[in-house]
Each structure stands twice: as structure tokens, then as C-alpha cells.
Amino acid sequence: MPYDSETLVSALSKEEVLGHLNRVTKEVNFLDQRTQANGNIIFNGLIGRRGFRISKVVNRADTFLPLVLGKIEGTPRGCIIFLSYRLFPGAMFFLAFWSIVLVAFTAMYALVIPNYSYATICFSLALANYLTAMYFFNRQVKTSRQIFHKLINFQMKD
């Protein structure tokens, strides 16, 4: 399954990082139009004392948008931020479902009903499905990562 992770070291304290995230993150109920993001909201999600679950704000649906799970540990000179990027559970379910179905058809056409051209087509579709998901997921991780890094390197000006 598509997955990525990274560890960041920040000179900002744990409280400052959580404060920056709190200012640009909003918990959203997608069924209620009143909770939709305004201009200064960058992420949707939840911020807790030890970590967070966020995703980038988007104007249209994006299946491969990563869910960013973070854990923050304070240190005497700043903090360490552990990030993991993964697909939302619904997207992961459909990717796994179609991969399993296509691999099952591949096995059926290769072993039970000897039709190797159909087996090749099913395997090619399974591979294309997975590679497409990886490509679009990694593209979205890159943009989410850039936004997060920009936020963490945010410097307060008087």
C-alpha cells in the first residue's frame, strides 16, 4: 500500500509547532457547508497534545490525497516531528479490493481456465492500477510535504 514517512527536527518548541498547526487547521464536517474552510485554513483534521491527523484542504475530491499522521516529541532545543503519510481508509479499501479481484482473475485464467492472454490482461490491469495509485499518491505527498515544511519553518515577525 502507498506509504511514506519522515522525521523532522525543528528549532521551534512542541507548543509552537502545535500552535502553528492549530491556527491553520480546522475540524471539518463535510456534510455541513458552514464548516468549510476559509482562506487561512491550510489543513483539515485534528490536533492533539501529542500528535495530529491532518490532510491538505482541497476544493475538489482527490482519491490519492494523503492522510498525514504526526507525533511530536519535545526536546530541550526544539522538537522532533515524526510524520507518516498514508491513503485514507476508503481509498486503501478500493485499491486493495481491485488489486485482489484482478489478481484473482489472473490466477483463475492462468491456472483454472487456461487462457493466458486474459491472465496477462488482468495482471497488467492490476499492475497499472497499483502504479497509477503510487504515482498520484507520491505527487500528493510531495505537495503536502512542501506545505508542511513551509509551515514549520514559519518565523514569527514583530
Side-chain angles (χ1 to χ4, degrees):
M1 289 295 145
Y3 176 83
D4 198 2
S5 66
E6 68 180 324
T7 303
L8 304 173
V9 178
S10 177
L12 300 174
S13 71
K14 178 179 177 179
E15 291 76 23
E16 289 174 316
V17 170
L18 289 172
H20 289 327
L21 279 173
N22 239 350
R23 280 192 287 283
V24 297
T25 304
K26 186 172 186 179
E27 185 176 349
V28 177
N29 177 0
F30 291 103
L31 300 176
D32 186 1
Q33 283 293 96
R34 295 174 293 176
T35 64
Q36 298 301 313
N38 59 18
N40 62 348
I41 300 299
I42 300 171
F43 295 110
N44 294 324
L46 301 170
I47 309 294
R49 290 183 181 210
R50 295 184 183 163
F52 51 89
R53 293 174 55 96
I54 59 175
S55 67
K56 184 176 69 163
V57 170
V58 292
N59 295 329
R60 59 183 176 83
D62 190 341
T63 303
F64 302 105
L65 185 68
L67 175 63
V68 183
L69 303 172
K71 182 180 173 193
I72 303 175
E73 292 185 7
T75 64
R77 294 187 181 205
C79 68
I80 301 172
I81 307 166
F82 301 96
L83 298 175
S84 65
Y85 302 87
R86 52 183 67 158
L87 283 176
F88 278 88
M92 200 177 314
F93 169 78
F94 283 110
L95 178 62
F97 174 79
W98 283 111
S99 295
I100 290 168
V101 166
L102 288 168
V103 168
F105 275 119
T106 300
M108 183 183 75
Y109 284 125
L111 304 173
V112 178
I113 307 168
N115 189 336
Y116 299 112
S117 60
Y118 284 178
T120 303
I121 290 170
C122 289
F123 183 75
S124 298
L125 287 173
L127 188 61
N129 184 40
Y130 182 74
L131 292 176
T132 302
M134 288 298 293
Y135 173 74
F136 285 111
F137 175 76
N138 287 328
R139 240 175 67 179
Q140 289 296 331
V141 165
K142 183 178 177 182
T143 60
S144 294
R145 181 178 284 146
Q146 288 171 345
I147 292 170
F148 191 84
H149 287 196
K150 185 178 177 183
L151 176 70
I152 295 306
N153 291 329
F154 178 78
Q155 299 295 320
M156 293 294 279
K157 305 258 182 196
D158 289 332

